[in-house]
Amino acid sequence: MSAVDTLDGFLALLKDELGLEATPEEAGRSLADLPRWDSLYLLRLVTLMEDETGRRLTLAPVLQARTLAEIHAVVVQQAPPQHTAEAQA
């Protein structure tokens, strides 16, 4: 199971790796409302998610996301949970 499989794990990874702290409630807020959020955070987040999942993300859906929760949903959709992928292998 990957850290990004759940919203809580996704947020913990953002805190540990990017220094971006957000609660599950804050994950539903607009990215523009997050302190210190900018395009560099987005690039770092995409790189982190690709490293964590081992898969490249399609950027269009990530760029269309307006909240961290929406970005998490895109990541899970594009890189299904590892335990599911392993079970199918």
Side-chain angles (χ1 to χ4, degrees):
M1 185 170 197
S2 170
V4 300
D5 291 350
T6 66
L7 180 59
D8 287 336
F10 173 80
L11 295 174
L13 190 61
L14 295 184
K15 179 181 176 185
D16 293 345
E17 298 294 328
L18 302 180
L20 180 65
E21 294 189 43
T23 65
E25 293 78 27
E26 291 169 326
R29 281 199 224 156
S30 171
L31 294 172
D33 293 337
L34 295 176
R36 303 181 306 146
W37 181 262
D38 60 21
S39 59
L40 291 179
Y41 263 115
L42 181 62
L43 291 174
R44 292 175 59 207
L45 185 150
V46 168
T47 301
L48 175 63
M49 293 301 105
E50 289 180 345
D51 289 347
E52 181 66 23
T53 64
R55 299 189 64 184
R56 297 201 39 98
L57 297 177
T58 303
L59 287 180
V62 175
L63 294 173
Q64 292 172 351
R66 296 292 174 236
T67 68
L68 289 174
E70 289 178 10
I71 292 173
H72 173 254
V74 169
V75 171
V76 170
Q77 180 184 28
Q78 290 190 27
Q82 289 183 359
H83 65 278
T84 303
E86 290 170 0
Q88 294 174 351

